[in-house]
Amino acid sequence: MAKETVTVDFAKLASQHAEFLKENPWMIPVGLTVQMVPLALLIYGHVKTNIYKKKLQIEREKTKQLTLQLQNGHPYNHGHHRHHSKHNGNYHEFNPAAPRQL
């Protein structure tokens, strides 16, 4: 079997496209919108993903720091830290909040 070669006259194709756009000028903004919407969604998703990755990294680091402080017996994170201000002549107990998960 012999292979067929396909030839395309790009000049003729370009002139057909130009003629089509001259007849239908409203297609230009529609065509641009169709191409820009997926690009905008891609960029938005990429930015949001980076933001959430950074937040997750920060929360993981906070959790690591709290774990290390509790393992080393750090005096400020035993869960019963006294504030230096007095309330009715007695110290009031302070229980730090647990780290939040995203």
Side-chain angles (χ1 to χ4, degrees):
M1 237 196 231
K3 290 185 179 180
E4 276 187 44
T5 57
V6 177
T7 57
V8 177
D9 185 6
F10 288 108
K12 182 180 177 184
L13 190 61
S15 67
Q16 287 175 347
H17 285 166
E19 187 62 35
F20 178 77
L21 289 176
K22 283 180 186 174
E23 293 171 4
N24 304 304
W26 58 271
M27 289 293 287
I28 294 172
V30 172
L32 288 174
T33 303
V34 167
Q35 291 178 0
M36 295 306 282
V37 168
L39 180 63
L41 289 174
L42 179 74
I43 291 169
Y44 176 79
H46 183 70
V47 168
K48 279 296 202 184
T49 301
N50 285 342
I51 289 170
Y52 286 125
K53 279 183 183 179
K54 184 56 80 176
K55 285 183 179 182
L56 181 60
Q57 184 181 8
I58 290 168
E59 289 299 322
R60 283 184 177 159
E61 184 61 33
K62 285 180 184 178
T63 304
K64 282 182 189 178
Q65 292 296 324
L66 284 174
T67 304
L68 287 174
Q69 287 176 355
L70 288 174
Q71 285 175 353
N72 293 334
H74 196 273
Y76 297 113
N77 278 331
H78 279 285
H80 298 291
H81 177 75
R82 291 184 193 188
H83 276 277
H84 294 289
S85 63
K86 287 188 175 185
H87 182 55
N88 294 333
N90 297 324
Y91 288 104
H92 61 278
E93 297 296 324
F94 173 70
N95 294 322
R100 295 183 309 153
Q101 282 188 326
L102 294 179

